PDB file of all heavy atoms in Angstrom:
ATOM      1  N   ARG A 146     -28.520  -5.950  -9.718  1.00 84.00           N
ATOM      2  CA  ARG A 146     -28.995  -5.092  -8.505  1.00 84.00           C
ATOM      3  C   ARG A 146     -29.258  -6.024  -7.305  1.00 84.00           C
ATOM      4  O   ARG A 146     -29.081  -5.730  -6.174  1.00 84.00           O
ATOM      5  CB  ARG A 146     -30.210  -4.303  -8.868  1.00 84.00           C
ATOM      6  CG  ARG A 146     -29.833  -3.081  -9.730  1.00 84.00           C
ATOM      7  CD  ARG A 146     -31.043  -2.291  -9.959  1.00 84.00           C
ATOM      8  NE  ARG A 146     -32.010  -3.080 -10.739  1.00 84.00           N
ATOM      9  CZ  ARG A 146     -33.249  -2.803 -11.019  1.00 84.00           C
ATOM     10  NH1 ARG A 146     -33.688  -1.663 -10.430  1.00 84.00           N
ATOM     11  NH2 ARG A 146     -34.026  -3.499 -11.678  1.00 84.00           N
ATOM     12  N   HIS A 152     -23.641  -5.396  -5.811  1.00 92.00           N
ATOM     13  CA  HIS A 152     -23.913  -4.110  -5.163  1.00 92.00           C
ATOM     14  C   HIS A 152     -22.675  -3.653  -4.383  1.00 92.00           C
ATOM     15  O   HIS A 152     -22.349  -2.478  -4.350  1.00 92.00           O
ATOM     16  CB  HIS A 152     -25.064  -4.323  -4.208  1.00 92.00           C
ATOM     17  CG  HIS A 152     -25.385  -3.097  -3.452  1.00 92.00           C
ATOM     18  ND1 HIS A 152     -24.909  -2.848  -2.170  1.00 92.00           N
ATOM     19  CD2 HIS A 152     -26.026  -1.963  -3.737  1.00 92.00           C
ATOM     20  CE1 HIS A 152     -25.237  -1.641  -1.794  1.00 92.00           C
ATOM     21  NE2 HIS A 152     -25.938  -1.060  -2.698  1.00 92.00           N
ATOM     22  N   GLU A 153     -22.017  -4.682  -3.703  1.00 92.00           N
ATOM     23  CA  GLU A 153     -20.776  -4.245  -2.943  1.00 92.00           C
ATOM     24  C   GLU A 153     -19.663  -3.733  -3.895  1.00 92.00           C
ATOM     25  O   GLU A 153     -19.021  -2.772  -3.559  1.00 92.00           O
ATOM     26  CB  GLU A 153     -20.257  -5.489  -2.184  1.00 92.00           C
ATOM     27  CG  GLU A 153     -19.023  -5.142  -1.397  1.00 92.00           C
ATOM     28  CD  GLU A 153     -18.760  -6.211  -0.398  1.00 92.00           C
ATOM     29  OE1 GLU A 153     -19.587  -7.151  -0.092  1.00 92.00           O
ATOM     30  OE2 GLU A 153     -17.584  -6.227   0.042  1.00 92.00           O
ATOM     31  N   TYR A 171      -9.069  18.549  -7.049  1.00 96.00           N
ATOM     32  CA  TYR A 171      -8.399  19.510  -6.159  1.00 96.00           C
ATOM     33  C   TYR A 171      -6.997  19.829  -6.644  1.00 96.00           C
ATOM     34  O   TYR A 171      -6.487  20.980  -6.738  1.00 96.00           O
ATOM     35  CB  TYR A 171      -8.364  19.107  -4.725  1.00 96.00           C
ATOM     36  CG  TYR A 171      -8.141  20.194  -3.787  1.00 96.00           C
ATOM     37  CD1 TYR A 171      -9.220  20.916  -3.347  1.00 96.00           C
ATOM     38  CD2 TYR A 171      -6.840  20.531  -3.198  1.00 96.00           C
ATOM     39  CE1 TYR A 171      -9.063  22.028  -2.474  1.00 96.00           C
ATOM     40  CE2 TYR A 171      -6.716  21.571  -2.394  1.00 96.00           C
ATOM     41  CZ  TYR A 171      -7.785  22.379  -2.005  1.00 96.00           C
ATOM     42  OH  TYR A 171      -7.594  23.382  -1.240  1.00 96.00           O
ATOM     43  N   SER A 174      -7.227  22.217  -9.486  1.00 95.00           N
ATOM     44  CA  SER A 174      -7.432  23.557  -9.084  1.00 95.00           C
ATOM     45  C   SER A 174      -6.186  24.211  -8.662  1.00 95.00           C
ATOM     46  O   SER A 174      -5.938  25.372  -9.032  1.00 95.00           O
ATOM     47  CB  SER A 174      -8.546  23.649  -8.039  1.00 95.00           C
ATOM     48  OG  SER A 174      -7.991  23.194  -6.804  1.00 95.00           O
ATOM     49  N   TYR A 177      -4.084  24.869 -11.705  1.00 94.00           N
ATOM     50  CA  TYR A 177      -4.599  26.063 -12.454  1.00 94.00           C
ATOM     51  C   TYR A 177      -4.185  27.368 -11.789  1.00 94.00           C
ATOM     52  O   TYR A 177      -3.721  28.284 -12.412  1.00 94.00           O
ATOM     53  CB  TYR A 177      -6.124  25.968 -12.491  1.00 94.00           C
ATOM     54  CG  TYR A 177      -6.892  27.239 -13.069  1.00 94.00           C
ATOM     55  CD1 TYR A 177      -6.683  27.476 -14.429  1.00 94.00           C
ATOM     56  CD2 TYR A 177      -7.504  28.087 -12.209  1.00 94.00           C
ATOM     57  CE1 TYR A 177      -7.348  28.640 -14.903  1.00 94.00           C
ATOM     58  CE2 TYR A 177      -8.127  29.189 -12.739  1.00 94.00           C
ATOM     59  CZ  TYR A 177      -8.016  29.457 -14.072  1.00 94.00           C
ATOM     60  OH  TYR A 177      -8.639  30.603 -14.557  1.00 94.00           O
ATOM     61  N   ARG A 294     -10.528 -12.812  -8.663  1.00 93.00           N
ATOM     62  CA  ARG A 294      -9.730 -12.084  -7.729  1.00 93.00           C
ATOM     63  C   ARG A 294      -8.269 -12.202  -7.961  1.00 93.00           C
ATOM     64  O   ARG A 294      -7.520 -11.328  -7.895  1.00 93.00           O
ATOM     65  CB  ARG A 294     -10.057 -12.583  -6.239  1.00 93.00           C
ATOM     66  CG  ARG A 294      -9.970 -11.537  -5.189  1.00 93.00           C
ATOM     67  CD  ARG A 294     -10.370 -12.093  -3.880  1.00 93.00           C
ATOM     68  NE  ARG A 294     -10.130 -11.105  -2.859  1.00 93.00           N
ATOM     69  CZ  ARG A 294     -10.754 -10.029  -2.606  1.00 93.00           C
ATOM     70  NH1 ARG A 294     -11.921  -9.816  -3.196  1.00 93.00           N
ATOM     71  NH2 ARG A 294     -10.425  -9.215  -1.601  1.00 93.00           N
ATOM     72  N   TYR A 298      -5.630  -9.207  -8.926  1.00 95.00           N
ATOM     73  CA  TYR A 298      -4.204  -8.840  -8.467  1.00 95.00           C
ATOM     74  C   TYR A 298      -3.261  -8.950  -9.637  1.00 95.00           C
ATOM     75  O   TYR A 298      -2.294  -8.190  -9.676  1.00 95.00           O
ATOM     76  CB  TYR A 298      -3.890  -9.901  -7.362  1.00 95.00           C
ATOM     77  CG  TYR A 298      -4.445  -9.426  -5.987  1.00 95.00           C
ATOM     78  CD1 TYR A 298      -5.429 -10.141  -5.343  1.00 95.00           C
ATOM     79  CD2 TYR A 298      -3.947  -8.295  -5.286  1.00 95.00           C
ATOM     80  CE1 TYR A 298      -5.971  -9.780  -4.154  1.00 95.00           C
ATOM     81  CE2 TYR A 298      -4.455  -7.881  -4.149  1.00 95.00           C
ATOM     82  CZ  TYR A 298      -5.583  -8.646  -3.543  1.00 95.00           C
ATOM     83  OH  TYR A 298      -5.988  -8.191  -2.371  1.00 95.00           O
TER      84      TYR A 298
ATOM     85  N   SER B  11     -10.890  26.916   1.471  1.00 95.00           N
ATOM     86  CA  SER B  11     -10.977  25.816   0.534  1.00 95.00           C
ATOM     87  C   SER B  11     -10.209  24.568   1.192  1.00 95.00           C
ATOM     88  O   SER B  11     -10.697  23.427   1.133  1.00 95.00           O
ATOM     89  CB  SER B  11     -10.367  26.121  -0.801  1.00 95.00           C
ATOM     90  OG  SER B  11      -9.516  25.155  -1.261  1.00 95.00           O
ATOM     91  N   ASN B  45     -11.573  27.036  -5.095  1.00 94.00           N
ATOM     92  CA  ASN B  45     -10.242  27.386  -5.597  1.00 94.00           C
ATOM     93  C   ASN B  45     -10.263  27.938  -7.016  1.00 94.00           C
ATOM     94  O   ASN B  45      -9.609  28.922  -7.275  1.00 94.00           O
ATOM     95  CB  ASN B  45      -9.447  26.064  -5.641  1.00 94.00           C
ATOM     96  CG  ASN B  45      -8.550  25.949  -4.396  1.00 94.00           C
ATOM     97  OD1 ASN B  45      -8.468  26.883  -3.617  1.00 94.00           O
ATOM     98  ND2 ASN B  45      -7.838  24.811  -4.311  1.00 94.00           N
ATOM     99  N   ASP B  55      -8.946  35.390 -15.546  1.00 90.00           N
ATOM    100  CA  ASP B  55      -9.064  34.366 -16.634  1.00 90.00           C
ATOM    101  C   ASP B  55     -10.407  33.647 -16.462  1.00 90.00           C
ATOM    102  O   ASP B  55     -10.850  33.454 -15.322  1.00 90.00           O
ATOM    103  CB  ASP B  55      -7.879  33.338 -16.502  1.00 90.00           C
ATOM    104  CG  ASP B  55      -8.002  32.196 -17.505  1.00 90.00           C
ATOM    105  OD1 ASP B  55      -7.912  32.595 -18.771  1.00 90.00           O
ATOM    106  OD2 ASP B  55      -7.997  31.092 -17.222  1.00 90.00           O
ATOM    107  N   GLY B  58     -11.262  29.342 -15.195  1.00 90.00           N
ATOM    108  CA  GLY B  58     -11.578  28.928 -13.862  1.00 90.00           C
ATOM    109  C   GLY B  58     -13.032  29.282 -13.407  1.00 90.00           C
ATOM    110  O   GLY B  58     -13.440  28.772 -12.392  1.00 90.00           O
ATOM    111  N   ILE B  79     -27.262   3.791  -5.481  1.00 94.00           N
ATOM    112  CA  ILE B  79     -26.517   2.699  -4.727  1.00 94.00           C
ATOM    113  C   ILE B  79     -27.113   2.628  -3.355  1.00 94.00           C
ATOM    114  O   ILE B  79     -27.344   1.516  -2.780  1.00 94.00           O
ATOM    115  CB  ILE B  79     -25.039   2.899  -4.813  1.00 94.00           C
ATOM    116  CG1 ILE B  79     -24.568   2.810  -6.289  1.00 94.00           C
ATOM    117  CG2 ILE B  79     -24.312   1.925  -3.985  1.00 94.00           C
ATOM    118  CD1 ILE B  79     -23.140   3.121  -6.485  1.00 94.00           C
ATOM    119  N   VAL B  95     -21.518  -3.355   4.154  1.00 84.00           N
ATOM    120  CA  VAL B  95     -21.030  -3.770   2.867  1.00 84.00           C
ATOM    121  C   VAL B  95     -19.633  -4.484   3.102  1.00 84.00           C
ATOM    122  O   VAL B  95     -18.640  -3.775   3.003  1.00 84.00           O
ATOM    123  CB  VAL B  95     -20.796  -2.596   1.891  1.00 84.00           C
ATOM    124  CG1 VAL B  95     -20.429  -3.038   0.553  1.00 84.00           C
ATOM    125  CG2 VAL B  95     -22.129  -1.857   1.840  1.00 84.00           C
ATOM    126  N   GLU B  97     -18.924  -8.203   2.292  1.00 79.00           N
ATOM    127  CA  GLU B  97     -18.947  -9.673   1.890  1.00 79.00           C
ATOM    128  C   GLU B  97     -17.615 -10.197   1.602  1.00 79.00           C
ATOM    129  O   GLU B  97     -17.223 -11.208   1.854  1.00 79.00           O
ATOM    130  CB  GLU B  97     -19.896  -9.909   0.640  1.00 79.00           C
ATOM    131  CG  GLU B  97     -21.354  -9.650   0.957  1.00 79.00           C
ATOM    132  CD  GLU B  97     -22.011 -10.840   1.792  1.00 79.00           C
ATOM    133  OE1 GLU B  97     -21.682 -11.942   1.285  1.00 79.00           O
ATOM    134  OE2 GLU B  97     -22.654 -10.669   2.808  1.00 79.00           O
ATOM    135  N   ARG B  99     -13.435 -10.142   1.239  1.00 69.00           N
ATOM    136  CA  ARG B  99     -12.222  -9.737   2.017  1.00 69.00           C
ATOM    137  C   ARG B  99     -10.924 -10.285   1.360  1.00 69.00           C
ATOM    138  O   ARG B  99     -11.029 -11.139   0.545  1.00 69.00           O
ATOM    139  CB  ARG B  99     -12.307 -10.511   3.416  1.00 69.00           C
ATOM    140  CG  ARG B  99     -13.482 -10.060   4.253  1.00 69.00           C
ATOM    141  CD  ARG B  99     -13.058  -9.029   5.225  1.00 69.00           C
ATOM    142  NE  ARG B  99     -14.199  -8.346   5.655  1.00 69.00           N
ATOM    143  CZ  ARG B  99     -14.094  -7.212   6.414  1.00 69.00           C
ATOM    144  NH1 ARG B  99     -12.993  -6.692   6.721  1.00 69.00           N
ATOM    145  NH2 ARG B  99     -15.184  -6.644   6.835  1.00 69.00           N
ATOM    146  N   GLY B 100      -9.821  -9.842   1.851  1.00 51.00           N
ATOM    147  CA  GLY B 100      -8.576 -10.396   1.374  1.00 51.00           C
ATOM    148  C   GLY B 100      -7.930  -9.531   0.247  1.00 51.00           C
ATOM    149  O   GLY B 100      -7.079  -9.947  -0.386  1.00 51.00           O
TER     150      GLY B 100
END
Side-chain angles (χ1 to χ4, degrees):
Chain A
R146 284 182 299 169
H152 176 266
E153 180 169 342
Y171 200 83
S174 73
Y177 172 70
R294 210 173 171 84
Y298 278 112
Chain B
S11 141
N45 260 355
D55 178 57
I79 295 173
V95 185
E97 291 284 314
R99 297 264 160 188

